[in-house]
Amino acid sequence: MTEYKPFKEGKVREVYDIGENLIITATDRISAFDVILKNMVTDKGAILTQMSKFWFDFTKDILPNHMVSVDVKDMPEFFRQPKFDGNSMLCKKLEMLPIECIVRGYITGSGWASYQENGTVCGIKLPEGLVESDKLPEPIYTPSTKAEIGDHDENISFEKSVEVLEKVYPGKGLDYATQIRDYTIALYKKCAEYALSKGIIIADTKFEFGLDENGNVVLGDEMLTPDSSRFWPLEGYEAGHGQPSFDKQFVRDWLKANPDSDYLLPDEVVNKTVDKYKEAYALLTGKEFTR
């Protein structure tokens, strides 16, 4: 049996090169504020993978994505062991674009802080009189650079994203920047409308895109998981203050309130986090999460 080692490790994921394709494994690690926490969150990786699968299937009419299979039977023998079952995705290889595509449908987090200062979010002027957690008149696209582990992503303008892409793909920067912006908004609108019908508000999220062997834009990475998005319950939603959430915000809030924690969460925070992930999965997919 051939053994594989990850050629790339992110904050929470490991990527294996199996030749023609990749296998992306979502671990049970959890990160916040660009730091990997000391706890593992049981089942988290599998929930993220299965949720991404749901969304990739749901949006394949908008553009192709990199998912081939989440069944370990379709993977080399090495991956047919329990630690890979349910949390691994067989994917097409893409040349990933160096932009994180963030879309915000509601004003919260760093966007709310920026708006309070000068009425803008990532340089985009917004209407006066918005309150925290307000729904925006239209979703806004706020791309960022991709940081290495330990560094912070940098918010950039659409024009700057064109420049970044032009450096890598001369003559194609504007085309690729426009495509990924338009795909980001289209994906968000379709998925946010669906999620709302299931009792979840998607306040914001991020997408990542790559190019296939023909230079076509393809959706990659993960998609609309609690790690890459802010999910709020529709029930009880009221603008004017922060919202309870189904995502990592619960972890972020605890860490902010406990600055001396050394990034070690108590068991109750870990358990509540995974319960929230499972609840969101069940609401969105109509199925209880099982490994």
Side-chain angles (χ1 to χ4, degrees):
M1 178 177 69
T2 303
E3 289 204 16
Y4 292 86
K5 294 196 180 304
F7 76 92
K8 182 180 178 185
E9 291 194 57
K11 298 184 188 85
V12 298
R13 280 173 299 167
E14 297 170 347
V15 185
Y16 299 81
D17 189 334
I18 61 165
E20 195 173 315
N21 294 311
L22 299 176
I23 290 174
I24 300 177
T25 297
T27 71
D28 288 343
R29 298 192 294 265
I30 188 166
S31 71
F33 305 117
D34 292 318
V35 175
I36 300 169
L37 276 58
K38 294 180 177 178
N39 306 77
M40 301 292 267
V41 180
T42 304
D43 285 334
K44 173 180 167 288
I47 296 167
L48 299 186
T49 298
Q50 300 303 320
M51 196 175 287
S52 285
K53 177 191 184 302
F54 171 80
W55 290 118
F56 283 141
D57 285 336
F58 185 70
T59 57
K60 60 189 177 186
D61 61 321
I62 295 178
L63 83 161
N65 60 67
H66 70 163
M67 181 179 69
V68 177
S69 175
V70 295
D71 189 338
V72 291
K73 295 190 188 73
D74 297 326
M75 304 177 197
E77 185 183 353
F78 175 77
F79 296 94
R80 295 172 212 161
Q81 49 181 309
K83 70 175 183 176
F84 294 108
D85 194 6
N87 65 341
S88 299
M89 182 177 288
L90 179 66
C91 301
K92 300 169 192 165
K93 283 184 175 177
L94 302 176
E95 183 179 331
M96 297 305 291
L97 298 174
I99 300 290
E100 289 204 341
C101 298
I102 299 162
V103 56
R104 304 167 191 259
Y106 293 73
I107 189 161
T108 185
S110 61
W112 170 239
S114 172
Y115 177 78
Q116 287 177 290
E117 280 183 21
N118 55 30
T120 71
V121 173
C122 300
I124 298 171
K125 183 72 176 170
L126 295 179
E128 293 181 9
L130 296 177
V131 297
E132 184 177 7
S133 305
D134 249 340
K135 184 176 183 180
L136 298 173
E138 279 293 321
I140 58 173
Y141 175 64
T142 59
S144 78
T145 58
K146 290 183 184 179
E148 297 299 318
I149 293 177
D151 294 330
H152 292 281
D153 299 335
E154 178 191 352
N155 293 324
I156 56 175
S157 65
F158 172 75
E159 291 74 21
K160 180 66 176 176
S161 76
V162 174
E163 290 178 24
V164 170
L165 290 165
E166 185 65 27
K167 283 180 184 173
V168 185
Y169 306 101
K172 297 285 287 182
L174 178 59
D175 180 28
Y176 285 146
T178 302
Q179 282 193 62
I180 62 177
R181 177 197 63 194
D182 293 349
Y183 280 138
T184 294
I185 297 293
L187 289 166
Y188 175 78
K189 284 185 171 180
K190 177 173 182 174
C191 297
E193 182 180 355
Y194 168 83
L196 204 60
S197 75
K198 301 297 181 182
I200 290 181
I201 292 169
I202 302 175
D204 53 39
T205 192
K206 77 172 179 71
F207 301 112
E208 294 194 31
F209 300 90
L211 305 178
D212 66 14
E213 65 276 10
N214 298 315
N216 299 313
V217 174
V218 176
L219 180 60
D221 199 62
E222 64 183 323
M223 182 178 185
L224 284 164
T225 70
D227 264 21
S228 65
S229 319
R230 278 192 179 93
F231 292 160
W232 298 337
L234 176 59
E235 185 177 355
Y237 164 72
E238 179 187 59
H241 53 79
Q243 307 297 310
S245 71
F246 290 106
D247 53 56
K248 286 197 301 188
Q249 195 58 42
F250 179 66
V251 170
R252 294 188 194 101
D253 290 345
W254 188 88
L255 289 169
K256 280 183 184 174
N258 296 273
D260 298 325
S261 66
D262 196 27
Y263 293 97
L264 180 66
L265 303 172
D267 288 345
E268 65 191 78
V269 175
V270 173
N271 294 336
K272 186 168 182 181
T273 299
V274 76
D275 285 347
K276 285 291 179 188
Y277 279 36
K278 288 178 178 177
E279 186 182 353
Y281 178 86
L283 283 170
L284 289 167
T285 67
K287 300 183 294 187
E288 294 299 316
F289 170 77
T290 56
R291 284 299 290 257

